[in-house]
Structures are given as structure tokens and as C-alpha cells.
């Protein structure tokens, strides 16, 4: 005869599920909107342009490997999804997530992590700054579904 699981085990499992389900992501982004707009602040006169960054993501084919909220394209699972970038602690798991480090990564990923599958895409600094600003400003923005 099979024995039914003890009620205490079931109660603990249910409690764990409830607690896990109640955990929301109400944390503020690690990078603020002001930080994102000033991505690559080496050029004080230039503010990064998130709208241009969105266009560059589409034009440069980033969506061939990444799912990028706000940029239409095929569903891709080659690289990680790039939603909520400002809430990520690290860029590519190796650099602390700051606008400048995201720009560094976008400019030459293999120089940061030689084992990465992401190629050097030949971005210019201004392009990387605009893409970084777009990705960092997307944090917490709900995806609109048609």
C-alpha cells in the first residue's frame, strides 16, 4: 500500500510556492534613466539617443540572436533576451552593469570575454552609446502586445 505524503510536507511545499509567487521584482533599476542617457559620458556634449539606439538594434540585426522588447523581429534564443537590462547586476555575467561598461561590451565583446559567442560587430562609440541608452531605459517598461 502506498503512503500519502505527510501533510506537513505538503504544507511546506505549498507555502514555498506561495512565497515564491509573491516575490515581485519591485526593485528600482540599477542604472537610472539619467545614467542611461549619459551613457559613454566621455563626450559631455553628446547625450545618447535611445530612439536611435532602437533603430540601430533593428538595422544591425541584433534581433537575429536576441529578443529585444520594443524591436520587432523573429523570436530568437541564440543570445539572452535584452529586457530589463537596467535591473541586471552584470553585463554578460562579467562586467558590473553600468552604462559605460555596457558600451564597452557592445564595442568589443570578445575583448571582454574571449569565450563569448557574441562577435565584434564593428559598432562606433556613438552607436554603442545609443544602443546602451535604449537598453537601459527599457527597464521596467511593460511590453505592449497587439
Amino acid at each position: 500500500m502506498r503512503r500519502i505524503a505527510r501533510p506537513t510536507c505538503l504544507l511546506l511545499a505549498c507555502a514555498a510556492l506561495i512565497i515564491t509567487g509573491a516575490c515581485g521584482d519591485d526593485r528600482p533599476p540599477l542604472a537610472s534613466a539619467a545614467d542611461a542617457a549619459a551613457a559613454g559620458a566621455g563626450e559631455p556634449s553628446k547625450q545618447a539617443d535611445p530612439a536611435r539606439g532602437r533603430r540601430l538594434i533593428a538595422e544591425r540585426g541584433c534581433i537575429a540572436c536576441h529578443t529585444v522588447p520594443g524591436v520587432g523581429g523573429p523570436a530568437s534564443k541564440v543570445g539572452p533576451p535584452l529586457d530589463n537590462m537596467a535591473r541586471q547586476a552584470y553585463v554578460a555575467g562579467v562586467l558590473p552593469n553600468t552604462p559605460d561598461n555596457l558600451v564597452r561590451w557592445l564595442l568589443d565583446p570578445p575583448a571582454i570575454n574571449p569565450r563569448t559567442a557574441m562577435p565584434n560587430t564593428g559598432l562606433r562609440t556613438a552607436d554603442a552609446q545609443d544602443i546602451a541608452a535604449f537598453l537601459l531605459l527599457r527597464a521596467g517598461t511593460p511590453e505592449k502586445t497587439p
Side-chain angles (χ1 to χ4, degrees):
M1 175 185 258
R2 291 186 70 161
R3 188 169 183 196
I4 298 176
R6 293 184 211 165
T8 54
C9 291
L10 288 174
L11 287 174
L12 287 174
C14 288
L17 286 174
I18 290 169
I19 290 170
T20 304
C23 293
D25 193 4
D26 294 337
R27 296 174 295 144
L30 297 174
S32 71
D35 292 339
E43 300 176 50
S45 62
K46 185 205 182 287
Q47 285 281 320
D49 181 357
R52 183 171 176 272
R54 182 188 176 285
R55 286 192 306 274
L56 285 167
I57 287 171
E59 291 169 7
R60 297 300 298 251
C62 302
I63 57 174
C65 296
H66 300 279
T67 301
V68 184
V71 181
S76 180
K77 303 265 191 238
V78 175
L82 300 180
D83 57 340
N84 291 320
M85 281 298 296
R87 296 186 192 282
Q88 303 299 318
Y90 292 94
V91 174
V94 294
L95 290 174
N97 189 9
T98 66
D100 288 337
N101 279 343
L102 183 53
V103 168
R104 279 182 54 209
W105 173 260
L106 291 169
L107 288 172
D108 192 1
I112 307 296
N113 180 2
R115 298 184 66 189
T116 186
M118 186 167 165
N120 182 341
T121 58
L123 289 172
R124 296 175 310 144
T125 301
D127 297 342
Q129 290 170 341
D130 292 343
I131 290 171
F134 173 76
L135 292 174
L136 292 172
L137 288 173
R138 293 291 306 170
T141 305
E143 188 64 20
K144 294 180 182 176
T145 53

